[in-house]
Amino acid sequence: MFEDRGTSGRSRWHALVVLCLASLMVVLDGTIVVVALPSIQTDLGFTQTNSTWIVNAYLVPFGGLLLFSGRLGDLIGRRRVFLIGLSVFTVASLLCGSAGDQATLIAFRCLQGVGGALTTSVVLGMIVTLFPGQPEQGKALGLFGFVQAGGASLGMILGGVLTQGLGWHWTMLVNVPIGLVVVLATFAAIERDRGAGLRAGIDAFGAVLATSGVMLLVYVIVDSGQPVRRWLLLALAVFLLTGFLVRQTKAPVPLMPLGLFRSRAVTGGNIVMLLMVAGMMGFQFLTALYLQRVLALDALTTGFAFLPTPVMNALVALWLGPRLIGRFGTRPILTTGLLVAATGLALLTTVPVDGAYFTDVLPPLLLAGIGMGIAVPAVIGTAMSAGSPENTGVASGLVNTTLQIGSAMGTAVLAAVAASRTASPAETVLGQREALTSGFRLAYSGSAAFVVLALFSALVVIPAREELSRA
């Protein structure tokens, strides 16, 4: 396992910076590519329909491989899996940036997804191992949460600058120097850890069931194809994932020990994470559209408009959140954060068609940032609290899988809710803006509902402070 060099040393914080830089690179890739989509579509001749695969080709393997990658880290060492993932992601980014046709770009985006899964799956396990107790773990998870939240906004800004200044190729090539620096820094800052070894066994059949089932589930969520096909694929995904759970009860060395879910902290933490992320990621998607399509901001200005959320998130997560958790316990602070975030989302349900950023959008963004800054470190710490040292990789992979599915589910569901109000085209520009705003209001209600459900789940499922300390 990781060597403990002492809580007064700086080495663990150096390692945390490296882990967060790698996570930032992966998060940035998502929004950078979204901003560059119109340019890629024009340059390589993508249609409006098949251009979605520039994003989906990455999301499907990324979401599907997180659980398996986390378990692999437990067996062969988390630093080794992290380095393999970084290397694959960096090389794939170079190949994506050099792509000259549709098939090549989509193929290497798939490879990027594999590298992203290997990299991301073990990060949380490494963080909780490096920082085993409060308040340092709370600060470390707060920084990780800030990177996740801030990376999306920074990606929109950086994507606009690179696309407009250098071309879409650089939205992917920018990962190459960053990846090389992080690989070198990993050797210097992160101690080599020893996994249980492949002799401990890996459930290959379970890995196939889990990976294919989650991949299909993510595909169904992000695909916009025929409803009949989507329902059939959803049924197949449920069948595969059910088979995976049955397999875990019989496998000599399960890929995901189901004993993890005997802990109400782990079960509740993942349920809350799924619902919270669905609401918050859907909210970011909706707000980006509202700012651009109703308030007529360009992509670069929209990216800057989001900055108050991650800044407030960081201030709260790094300084206030860990102190509050140490004093009052995890569940009270988690529920408080979710309540604040839900209040911000509820305010957005009244956005007007002639709204102004500073009066109608900024206050809810600030409340969302405060709420998430409080809630994210608490819910991640809860979801990881019952993992033994031998299973922190699979627990990390599970949390990241929950994050990915929640993000995809929230974006897909809320986009469909918004579209349900704007299906019939309006005759005038004002009519179009009014229809869009009506759809966004309805979808913001759905976003707030997701967070309220997360709040209810936290109260019902996650144990009280005394129980959590024994989980």
Side-chain angles (χ1 to χ4, degrees):
M1 305 307 295
F2 291 103
E3 180 182 330
D4 185 357
R5 300 179 186 175
T7 56
S8 61
R10 297 181 179 178
S11 55
R12 291 182 298 169
W13 294 99
H14 292 163
L16 177 64
V17 169
V18 173
L19 295 173
C20 286
L21 279 175
S23 297
L24 178 62
M25 181 175 66
V26 175
V27 171
L28 281 175
D29 183 75
T31 46
I32 281 181
V33 171
V34 169
V35 173
L37 277 178
S39 296
I40 299 174
Q41 184 176 338
T42 300
D43 193 20
L44 299 185
F46 280 93
T47 65
Q48 190 67 32
T49 302
N50 65 14
S51 65
T52 60
W53 280 101
I54 301 171
V55 176
N56 295 348
Y58 175 87
L59 290 177
V60 172
F62 180 83
L65 287 168
L66 284 167
L67 188 61
F68 170 72
S69 300
R71 180 56 177 163
L72 191 63
D74 290 333
L75 295 177
I76 69 173
R78 290 185 285 279
R79 191 185 79 157
R80 180 179 295 176
V81 170
F82 180 73
L83 283 169
I84 293 171
L86 275 175
S87 302
V88 171
F89 187 86
T90 303
V91 171
S93 297
L94 175 63
L95 295 171
C96 284
S98 306
D101 59 79
Q102 297 179 18
T104 302
L105 178 60
I106 290 176
F108 290 134
R109 284 288 288 165
C110 286
L111 186 62
Q112 255 192 324
V114 173
L118 289 166
T119 303
T120 305
S121 64
V122 294
V123 167
L124 282 174
M126 296 166 84
I127 290 175
V128 298
T129 303
L130 286 165
F131 300 92
Q134 294 288 352
E136 287 187 327
Q137 187 181 102
K139 292 180 180 179
L141 292 175
L143 180 59
F144 175 80
F146 162 65
V147 167
Q148 297 292 304
S153 297
L154 182 58
M156 295 181 72
I157 297 170
L158 189 58
V161 170
L162 290 173
T163 302
Q164 294 176 18
L166 297 173
W168 69 264
H169 297 276
W170 281 95
T171 62
M172 300 179 190
L173 293 174
V174 70
N175 292 324
V176 177
I178 300 174
L180 291 174
V181 169
V182 176
V183 167
L184 294 175
T186 299
F187 285 105
I190 300 179
E191 289 289 315
R192 182 179 179 180
D193 59 311
R194 293 185 178 182
L198 291 176
R199 292 180 180 176
I202 186 165
D203 180 16
F205 183 50
V208 171
L209 290 173
T211 301
S212 56
V214 175
M215 278 187 177
L216 267 179
L217 182 60
V218 173
Y219 176 83
V220 169
I221 292 172
V222 302
D223 183 41
S224 57
Q226 293 294 327
V228 174
R229 183 184 69 181
R230 294 182 72 188
W231 281 110
L232 289 174
L233 291 176
L234 178 61
L236 180 57
V238 171
F239 174 77
L240 290 170
L241 291 174
T242 302
F244 167 69
L245 294 176
V246 172
R247 169 67 182 176
Q248 298 314 286
T249 65
K250 303 178 182 300
V253 183
L255 177 70
M256 184 180 70
L258 297 183
L260 281 174
F261 294 102
R262 296 193 187 101
S263 164
R264 289 172 58 199
V266 171
T267 301
N270 277 279
I271 292 172
V272 172
M273 178 78 71
L274 179 76
L275 295 168
M276 179 183 75
V277 170
M280 294 308 297
M281 291 305 295
F283 139 78
Q284 292 191 36
F285 170 77
L286 295 169
T287 305
L289 291 178
Y290 174 75
L291 292 173
Q292 294 184 70
R293 299 179 67 180
V294 177
L295 301 189
L297 302 184
D298 59 33
L300 188 58
T301 307
T302 298
F304 280 108
F306 270 103
L307 281 180
T309 299
V311 169
M312 190 60 66
N313 187 311
L315 292 175
V316 173
L318 295 177
W319 302 108
L320 183 61
R323 290 177 172 84
L324 292 175
I325 291 173
R327 182 171 181 179
F328 298 104
T330 300
R331 191 173 71 173
I333 300 309
L334 171 59
T335 53
T336 300
L338 292 171
L339 181 61
V340 172
T343 302
L345 294 174
L347 290 176
L348 285 170
T349 62
T350 62
V351 288
V353 69
D354 56 348
Y357 170 75
F358 287 102
T359 57
D360 298 303
V361 180
L362 181 58
L365 288 181
L366 292 174
L367 283 174
I370 293 170
M372 288 300 98
I374 296 172
V376 168
V379 73
I380 293 177
T382 300
M384 295 290 296
S385 63
S388 65
E390 295 77 18
N391 289 324
T392 52
V394 73
S396 175
L398 176 62
V399 169
N400 279 292
T401 301
T402 301
L403 277 166
Q404 185 63 27
I405 292 175
S407 175
M409 180 180 71
T411 302
V413 169
L414 296 176
V417 170
S420 69
R421 283 283 181 91
T422 57
S424 300
E427 296 180 358
T428 65
V429 173
L430 179 60
Q432 291 173 0
R433 292 174 62 205
E434 288 176 343
L436 286 169
T437 305
S438 176
F440 292 143
R441 288 179 192 142
L442 181 61
Y444 279 133
S445 299
S447 185
F450 272 125
V451 178
V452 170
L453 284 173
L455 172 60
F456 178 76
S457 300
L459 290 170
V460 172
V461 184
I462 293 178
R465 182 177 185 177
E466 295 76 16
E467 296 174 69
L468 189 59
S469 65
R470 297 193 300 267

